């Protein structure tokens, strides 16, 4: 018999005539064929007879034994034969880590909220929501406190800076009063925006640390997030102000000449050039904030890192950022609008008060609107910050193999 594993020659058992102690003239108790008597000296009979089970019928050619199968090539970890060209696979096809194949491929390691491999849009959005849901004890207090402080200050600013607001000009209103009203409006808007930016910087700094730990499957308390973010906080303020200042200077260079020349066409041309350029640079440097916080770099290095990570993927980063902004805007509007209309109807005096501007300074309207904004910002701010951090992580995985470093940091054994 052939002793190769998993293979046997035709004829399942040796002949009984080869068994010691078995007479040739007795029938086979196991159901085998009886060995016939060989006449002495008969030349037609061979000295060796084939064992039972290998006799062929007259006129039928003897079936040759089936050759053993060729040895299968050794395969690597993903089903790829060793020393074979890429793409020449035997057997089932396997996909990338975490993908699906005919027999299933090894899933990507997922120590935290995302799998450690290049991410899709749904995985980035789901990772942000999963972090908010899993680590809500750290995420919600940060955003809730910051949003509350921002909105309380905003209520007082609107109440006292917009009390003399004039919305409808009349014969009794002088040009000086109109300019004063416009100045009050712009001043209140500037103060609110400044407070909002400062609050966003604090939230972004702390949430970046929480999301970075959530990727590794680690929990982070509010105090730990503040301790990790505090050394880079001033640099993050400088980065934000530098981006705002750059946008204003670029607008001044492109639009101001048309204003000084009192040329409408030149003004429109300046805006047409300024807005797309502002959008392009905004996406190009959109990953500077997580790069600054997580790489402990300087402001200029953070800009360079963001530019490098976004290069070649501008449209993808733009699409994910725009979709995130759209989702956040719609969600915030769904939350804020009922509070604003309730405040307007219950305390603002209705549509007439809205027309003359008194509704915007009524305490009831301001307070209810602030409550709606607090709830909306508590939900929206961590969602947007989380998407930005995970987009940064995804771009580094795609370009720099960050998943290997993350796996080692998370304690995943034999990854990669």
């Amino acid at each position: 018999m052939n002793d190769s594993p998993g293979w046997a020659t035709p004829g399942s058992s040796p002949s009984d005539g080869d068994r010691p102690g078995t007479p040739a003239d007795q029938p086979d108790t196991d159901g085998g064929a009886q060995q016939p008597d060989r006449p002495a000296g008969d030349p037609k009979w061979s000295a060796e007879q084939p064992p039972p089970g290998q006799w062929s019928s007259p006129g039928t050619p003897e079936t040759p034994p089936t050759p053993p199968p060729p040895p299968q090539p050794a395969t690597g970890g993903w089903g790829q034969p060793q020393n074979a060209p890429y793409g020449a696979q035997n057997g089932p096809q396997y996909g990338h880590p975490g993908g699906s194949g005919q027999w299933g491929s090894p899933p990507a390691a997922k120590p935290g909220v995302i799998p450690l491999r290049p991410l899709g849009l749904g995985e980035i959005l789901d990772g942000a929501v999963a972090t908010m849901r899993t680590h809500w004890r750290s995420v919600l207090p940060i955003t809730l406190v910051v949003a509350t402080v921002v909105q309380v200050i905003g209520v007082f600013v609107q109440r006292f800076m917009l009390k003399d607001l004039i919305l409808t000009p009349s014969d009794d209103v002088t040009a000086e009063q109109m300019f004063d009203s416009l100045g009050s409006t712009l001043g209140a808007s500037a103060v609110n925006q400044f407070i909002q930016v400062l609050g966003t910087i604090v939230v972004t700094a702390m949430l970046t640390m929480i999301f970075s730990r959530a990727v590794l499957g680690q929990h982070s308390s509010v105090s730990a997030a503040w301790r990790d973010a505090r050394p880079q906080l001033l640099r993050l303020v400088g980065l934000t102000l530098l981006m705002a200042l750059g946008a204003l200077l670029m607008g001044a260079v492109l639009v101001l000449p048309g204003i000084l020349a009192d040329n409408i066409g030149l003004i429109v041309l300046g805006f047409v050039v300024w807005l797309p350029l502002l959008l392009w640079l905004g996406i190009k440097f959109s990953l500077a904030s997580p790069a600054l916080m997580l790489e402990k770099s300087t402001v200029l290095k953070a800009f360079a890192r963001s530019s490098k990570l976004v290069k070649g993927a501008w449209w993808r980063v733009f699409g994910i950022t725009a979709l995130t902004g759209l989702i956040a805007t719609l969600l915030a509007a769904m939350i804020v609008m009922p509070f604003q209309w309730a405040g307007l109807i219950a305390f603002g005096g209705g549509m007439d008060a809205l027309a003359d501007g008194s509704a915007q300074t009524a305490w009831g309207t301001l307070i209810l609107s602030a409550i709606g904004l607090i709830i909306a910002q508590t939900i929206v701010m961590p969602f947007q910050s989380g998407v930005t951090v995970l987009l940064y992580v995804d771009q580094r995985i795609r370009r720099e193999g960050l998943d290997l470093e993350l796996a080692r940091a998370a304690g995943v054994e034999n990854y990669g």
Side-chain angles (χ1 to χ4, degrees), residues 68-135:
Q72 298 293 327
T75 59
W78 299 107
Q80 180 71 21
Q82 295 178 355
N83 301 325
Y86 181 79
Q89 297 186 6
N90 295 326
Q93 302 293 319
Y94 292 88
H96 57 77
S100 58
Q102 182 178 350
W103 296 97
S105 58
K110 189 179 179 180
V113 295
I114 59 170
L116 301 184
R117 56 171 170 78
L119 304 175
L121 170 62
E123 291 170 326
I124 292 176
L125 299 179
D126 180 71
V129 176
T131 303
M132 295 169 58
R133 184 176 62 250
T134 306
H135 304 274

Side-chain angles (χ1 to χ4, degrees), residues 253-273:
V253 170
L254 295 174
V255 180
L256 189 58
I259 297 177
L260 296 177
D262 197 16
N263 190 325
I264 301 298
L266 194 58
I267 294 175
V268 173
L269 179 61
F271 273 105
V272 169
V273 176

Side-chain angles (χ1 to χ4, degrees), residues 17-40:
D18 295 335
R19 300 177 185 174
T22 304
D25 56 349
Q26 293 182 0
D28 188 1
T29 58
D30 295 335
Q34 183 177 355
Q35 187 78 2
D37 295 334
R38 176 175 61 87

Side-chain angles (χ1 to χ4, degrees), residues 257-291:
I259 297 177
L260 296 177
D262 197 16
N263 190 325
I264 301 298
L266 194 58
I267 294 175
V268 173
L269 179 61
F271 273 105
V272 169
V273 176
W274 179 41
L275 295 180
L277 188 59
L278 187 64
L279 176 62
W280 179 71
L281 290 175
I283 298 300
K284 185 180 181 67
F285 299 132
S286 61
L287 303 182
S289 173

Side-chain angles (χ1 to χ4, degrees), residues 84-336:
Y86 181 79
Q89 297 186 6
N90 295 326
Q93 302 293 319
Y94 292 88
H96 57 77
S100 58
Q102 182 178 350
W103 296 97
S105 58
K110 189 179 179 180
V113 295
I114 59 170
L116 301 184
R117 56 171 170 78
L119 304 175
L121 170 62
E123 291 170 326
I124 292 176
L125 299 179
D126 180 71
V129 176
T131 303
M132 295 169 58
R133 184 176 62 250
T134 306
H135 304 274
W136 64 270
R137 290 182 178 86
S138 302
V139 173
L140 293 185
I142 295 173
T143 55
L144 180 60
V145 170
V146 173
T148 301
V149 172
V150 169
Q151 293 306 319
V152 168
I153 296 175
V155 166
F156 284 99
V157 169
Q158 286 183 305
R159 178 67 179 84
F160 294 105
M161 293 187 68
L162 299 181
K163 62 180 179 179
D164 297 328
L165 179 64
I166 300 174
L167 294 180
T168 57
S170 62
D171 297 336
D172 298 334
V173 178
T174 63
E176 184 179 357
Q177 291 176 331
M178 289 295 298
F179 278 111
D180 290 341
S181 176
L182 180 61
S184 299
T185 303
L186 293 178
S189 177
V191 172
N192 281 334
Q193 289 298 322
F194 180 74
I195 298 171
Q196 185 72 36
V197 168
L198 289 181
T200 303
I201 289 173
V202 174
V203 169
T204 300
M206 298 181 68
L207 290 183
T208 299
M209 299 305 172
I210 293 177
F211 276 91
S212 65
R213 291 180 178 272
V215 170
L216 303 177
Q218 301 173 359
H219 292 272
S220 179
S221 62
V222 176
S223 59
W226 171 251
R227 186 171 57 251
D228 293 338
R230 186 173 54 187
Q232 293 293 102
L233 195 57
L234 289 179
R235 290 181 177 178
L236 184 59
V237 172
L239 184 145
T240 305
L241 294 179
L242 187 59
M243 292 182 66
L245 181 61
L248 292 176
L249 289 178
M250 185 172 56
V253 170
L254 295 174
V255 180
L256 189 58
I259 297 177
L260 296 177
D262 197 16
N263 190 325
I264 301 298
L266 194 58
I267 294 175
V268 173
L269 179 61
F271 273 105
V272 169
V273 176
W274 179 41
L275 295 180
L277 188 59
L278 187 64
L279 176 62
W280 179 71
L281 290 175
I283 298 300
K284 185 180 181 67
F285 299 132
S286 61
L287 303 182
S289 173
L292 177 76
M293 299 302 300
L294 298 179
E295 299 179 18
K296 309 297 182 183
S297 62
T298 62
V299 174
L300 296 181
K301 288 183 179 179
F303 281 121
R305 288 287 293 145
S306 178
S307 177
K308 180 181 178 181
L309 292 174
V310 176
K311 184 178 180 181
W314 189 94
W315 284 106
R316 181 174 184 272
V317 177
F318 166 73
I320 295 176
T321 304
L323 180 61
T324 304
L326 178 62
I327 294 174
T329 301
L330 293 177
L331 182 60
M334 293 172 59
I335 297 174
V336 173

